[in-house]
Amino acid sequence: MKRLLWLSLVAMAALCAEAQRVDNLLQQFDVKRDVVSANAFFSQLKEEEFIDEAVVFSPKTPADSLQQQVWYWAAEWLYHQQQYERSVTYGQKALPLFDVRLNPDGRADCLNILALAYLRLTDFDTAAGYAQQCCKLDQQSGDPDRISSSLNTLAGIYMAGHQPKEAEQYILKGIEQAQLADNPGRMAVLQGMASEVYHSLGRNEEALKYIDEAIRLEHQNGRSDRLPVRQAQRASVLIGLNRYDEAEQTLSEAIPLLRQNGNVHSLGIALNKMGSVMLCKQRKAEAVPFFSEAADIFKRQGDPYNEVQSRRGLYDALWESNPDEAHRHHQRFDLLKDSIYDHTSAEMLSRYNAQFGNDWLLLENRSERQAKQRAILVGATASLLLLLLVGGVWWVMRRRHQRQSRINASLSADIEQLREKYQQLHISYDKAMLVQSAQSAEVTLTSADRDFLEEAVSVVNELITLGQIDAATVAQRLCMSPFQLRQRITSLTGETPQSFIQTLRMRRARHLLAAHTELNVTEVAMLCAYNDTPNFTRAFKRAFGLTPSQYVEQKRGE
């Protein structure tokens, strides 16, 4: 036991040293805001395996592009380090630099990290606002994996706001989308959240089924670092079922692993649960150190939502043996409780819930949405002020485009050589995939349907090779309007055109990584029509639950 504790302390010290190096480089960039500082920051993230591929900016990279990428990844890294207030600071600095028209996915990712950080800070109404904006963008993208992720975030916010019934609708929709995305890693996360939702609703038998499936998926995907988190979730359900011995055994296995992984936030939650088990088994003296350590963790992190539970547990454990100390913890409990669950927050969450339901219906009614967009466009055309604004935006975007074109020109020769070498690569829907898509859309494919899909796949492959891929261009090449293309693709496959295209891009990426080991991740990204490696890495991980490098290593092992 002492050896395990010593190893845990050594591992935590190493993690702290690495974190300090990243922090120093981030502060250096904030002062200089130059390419050298940005490259040093990303090099350290790569060394610590926080990102999959080194990001290297050229000396001609615009300042706003540097700041956008460094500040966004700083927000991600700080959230991972559980420094939630600083994560918010950098996320808010990065958000205005993401143009929703040029990079909607990047803006959605930034909104998501802000929602998660505000959730950890128990600012539920602000978290829900960011999460709702993120979910709108993800719905518009038609990517089921992105949609399932943002729905999971919304469910977590409503769970923290003690509204599990509202959380249920989001998590069930999220699971439906994760099934469409065929992403086992995402499904494990959603199943874990579903377990928490049904445990909170008192439906513990259902909760146990969800968490057991989540654990099975984590084992299947080899995500050992996530298993202790799922074990802690399972312990909650076991407590609800009065199976205290099993809960204690499960937490006894999870807590050392969480210490070893440096997952301090999840460690605090598990300690709270172990304290609860001790109370249920009338072992109050043993409960005190678990609740005390958890309270210290959450106080340091500024997480009143979980500290409330620690303080209540300490009160229950101490009120017989040490009434004065118990009273002190109860005072802290009351102070925190009143600051978290006020009437304003409850009203705000309810308003977001109603607004989200309305937005979901509007997004499903495509014809109505398009009519509204046309009406807005007519009104905008009639407004001189808006015309001037559009002209100004156009000028700014043109300048940015010109600068980006000059940067891209230096890479064009290498990209063209790669494309010429691999231009014959075509990834198509195989028979099993066609059948699965047809079953999802509940249609029977005719020979004409198959011919159309083959032609559509051919066009998409050609455009991916050219590096110019979007649904409007596909529709034009097929002599259809974007609306007609959407109707035809959705009716045959159950996917939007964007999702259909993304499927082919990811299948191409997977094939290149497995069959062409001479290519690095950056080159594969270019051949799949991605202009930057970080966006490609995020898309690949959403699709398959692994980063490109992890996928290559897995294939080598096989």
Side-chain angles (χ1 to χ4, degrees):
M1 184 66 181
K2 289 183 179 179
R3 178 176 175 79
L4 179 60
L5 180 60
W6 181 81
L7 289 173
S8 299
L9 291 172
V10 170
M12 291 180 69
L15 289 172
C16 289
E18 292 174 352
Q20 189 59 51
R21 286 195 291 272
V22 175
D23 208 4
N24 291 340
L25 290 170
L26 177 57
Q27 293 179 38
Q28 180 179 321
F29 175 82
D30 284 342
V31 173
K32 297 183 177 180
R33 300 192 182 183
D34 61 350
V35 171
V36 174
S37 301
N39 287 341
F41 172 74
F42 278 104
S43 176
Q44 187 63 39
L45 292 185
K46 172 64 172 65
E47 184 176 330
E48 295 179 19
E49 298 183 350
F50 186 75
I51 59 176
D52 190 62
E53 191 76 12
V55 178
V56 180
F57 296 101
S58 76
K60 297 180 181 179
T61 303
D64 55 353
S65 296
L66 286 177
Q67 292 166 7
Q68 177 204 83
Q69 288 297 306
V70 172
W71 288 341
Y72 166 74
W73 283 102
E76 288 273 10
W77 178 78
L78 288 165
Y79 179 83
H80 181 74
Q81 295 296 314
Q82 299 171 359
Q83 298 183 41
Y84 304 123
E85 290 183 354
R86 292 186 66 203
S87 178
V88 164
T89 298
Y90 281 96
Q92 289 177 332
K93 289 166 69 174
L95 185 62
L97 301 175
F98 284 99
D99 190 312
V100 70
R101 291 166 300 179
L102 297 178
N103 190 359
D105 286 355
R107 185 173 178 84
D109 289 339
C110 195
L111 288 165
N112 186 64
I113 199 66
L114 281 167
L116 292 171
Y118 273 112
L119 171 60
R120 295 301 189 194
L121 295 171
T122 64
D123 187 346
F124 303 135
D125 50 353
T126 303
Y130 281 118
Q132 187 187 48
Q133 293 179 59
C134 173
C135 200
K136 282 184 179 179
L137 289 175
D138 287 341
Q139 287 170 328
Q140 290 165 7
S141 76
D143 184 339
D145 190 55
R146 295 189 68 89
I147 296 171
S148 66
S149 175
S150 51
L151 286 170
N152 183 69
T153 300
L154 276 165
I157 291 168
Y158 279 88
M159 279 293 294
H162 283 192
Q163 297 190 34
K165 195 62 185 173
E166 285 74 13
E168 182 185 15
Q169 63 173 317
Y170 298 128
I171 203 63
L172 292 179
K173 285 180 180 177
I175 288 173
E176 289 176 5
Q177 293 294 319
Q179 288 170 338
L180 292 174
D182 192 24
N183 183 343
R186 177 77 63 210
M187 181 62 78
V189 173
L190 287 154
Q191 297 276 359
M193 177 61 73
S195 173
E196 293 188 13
V197 169
Y198 285 109
H199 169 60
S200 186
L201 289 169
R203 294 154 62 178
N204 287 300
E205 293 295 344
E206 290 177 72
L208 189 61
K209 292 178 183 178
Y210 278 110
I211 194 58
D212 284 344
E213 175 62 12
I215 290 172
R216 185 190 70 79
L217 288 170
E218 299 291 23
H219 275 295
Q220 175 183 304
N221 298 329
R223 303 199 330 167
S224 57
D225 59 319
R226 303 303 299 169
L227 279 172
V229 176
R230 304 288 167 248
Q231 288 176 310
Q233 289 175 317
R234 191 174 195 274
S236 291
V237 180
L238 293 171
I239 294 170
L241 292 168
N242 300 326
R243 291 158 61 174
Y244 304 128
D245 289 341
E246 289 181 64
E248 181 180 358
Q249 178 61 35
T250 300
L251 290 166
S252 297
E253 295 171 1
I255 287 173
L257 293 173
L258 291 168
R259 290 190 195 279
Q260 184 177 343
N261 294 343
N263 190 342
V264 180
H265 188 268
S266 295
L267 171 63
I269 293 173
L271 290 167
N272 267 346
K273 291 174 182 177
M274 183 64 99
S276 297
V277 171
M278 296 297 104
L279 288 179
C280 291
K281 299 179 78 170
Q282 298 300 311
R283 291 155 58 184
K284 294 184 177 181
E286 294 177 61
V288 172
F290 291 112
F291 283 127
S292 294
E293 185 179 356
D296 289 341
I297 288 173
F298 295 127
K299 187 175 182 180
R300 287 197 306 270
Q301 291 186 338
D303 182 351
Y305 173 75
N306 284 296
E307 189 186 343
V308 158
Q309 299 173 54
S310 306
R311 299 297 176 182
R312 179 55 191 265
L314 284 166
Y315 171 77
D316 290 338
L318 290 167
W319 74 272
E320 289 180 343
S321 60
N322 192 341
D324 290 339
E325 183 70 7
H327 181 65
R328 185 177 69 83
H329 288 297
H330 196 273
Q331 286 180 317
R332 175 71 175 167
F333 167 82
D334 283 338
L335 178 66
L336 292 170
K337 178 171 64 69
D338 292 341
S339 69
I340 297 172
Y341 302 114
D342 58 21
H343 181 67
T344 303
S345 293
E347 278 190 347
M348 188 68 73
L349 284 176
S350 297
R351 180 169 63 80
Y352 277 126
N353 185 40
Q355 187 177 350
F356 177 83
N358 184 55
D359 289 340
W360 187 275
L361 291 173
L362 287 176
L363 284 163
E364 289 179 344
N365 190 341
R366 292 295 172 182
S367 60
E368 181 180 347
R369 190 162 72 94
Q370 288 170 350
K372 287 186 177 181
Q373 288 173 337
R374 286 195 294 271
I376 292 170
L377 183 60
V378 171
T381 306
S383 170
L384 177 61
L385 180 61
L386 189 55
L387 281 173
L388 291 173
L389 178 61
V390 170
V393 170
W394 175 85
W395 183 82
V396 171
M397 297 310 303
R398 179 177 172 81
R399 290 292 301 274
R400 286 189 179 181
H401 177 72
Q402 288 173 341
R403 283 187 297 174
Q404 193 63 48
S405 297
R406 288 194 294 269
I407 295 168
N408 292 342
S410 63
L411 300 172
S412 60
D414 291 341
I415 295 173
E416 286 306 315
Q417 288 178 4
L418 283 170
R419 286 175 178 157
E420 288 176 10
K421 183 176 180 180
Y422 297 95
Q423 65 181 345
Q424 300 304 318
L425 176 65
H426 293 284
I427 302 300
S428 62
Y429 271 34
D430 56 31
K431 183 176 180 181
M433 194 168 184
L434 281 170
V435 171
Q436 182 181 2
S437 297
Q439 288 174 343
S440 298
E442 297 182 353
V443 298
T444 302
L445 294 177
T446 65
S447 59
D449 293 333
R450 290 179 183 273
D451 290 342
F452 167 76
L453 285 175
E454 288 178 5
E455 184 180 3
V457 168
S458 178
V459 168
V460 170
N461 273 307
E462 182 181 349
L463 292 173
I464 292 174
T465 302
L466 294 173
Q468 301 172 347
I469 184 65
D470 61 81
T473 306
V474 173
Q476 185 180 23
R477 293 288 292 273
L478 292 171
C479 300
M480 306 173 75
S481 71
F483 180 72
Q484 289 172 324
L485 176 67
R486 185 180 188 84
Q487 280 191 319
R488 191 78 187 277
I489 290 290
T490 303
S491 66
L492 294 179
T493 69
E495 296 183 289
T496 64
Q498 292 90 340
S499 182
F500 180 80
I501 292 166
Q502 185 68 359
T503 297
L504 290 171
R505 292 171 85 185
M506 289 296 100
R507 286 169 64 82
R508 171 185 286 237
R510 184 171 60 184
H511 172 78
L512 286 169
L513 290 168
H516 297 275
T517 54
E518 74 277 9
L519 295 172
N520 60 37
V521 173
T522 300
E523 291 169 334
V524 172
M526 291 176 181
L527 290 170
C528 296
Y530 279 92
N531 293 325
D532 61 274
T533 307
N535 280 340
F536 168 69
T537 299
R538 288 198 298 271
F540 191 91
K541 188 171 183 179
R542 281 196 302 269
F544 303 115
L546 300 169
T547 65
S549 292
Q550 290 169 342
Y551 178 75
V552 170
E553 289 300 319
Q554 183 185 77
K555 285 297 177 184
R556 286 176 181 165
E558 293 173 358

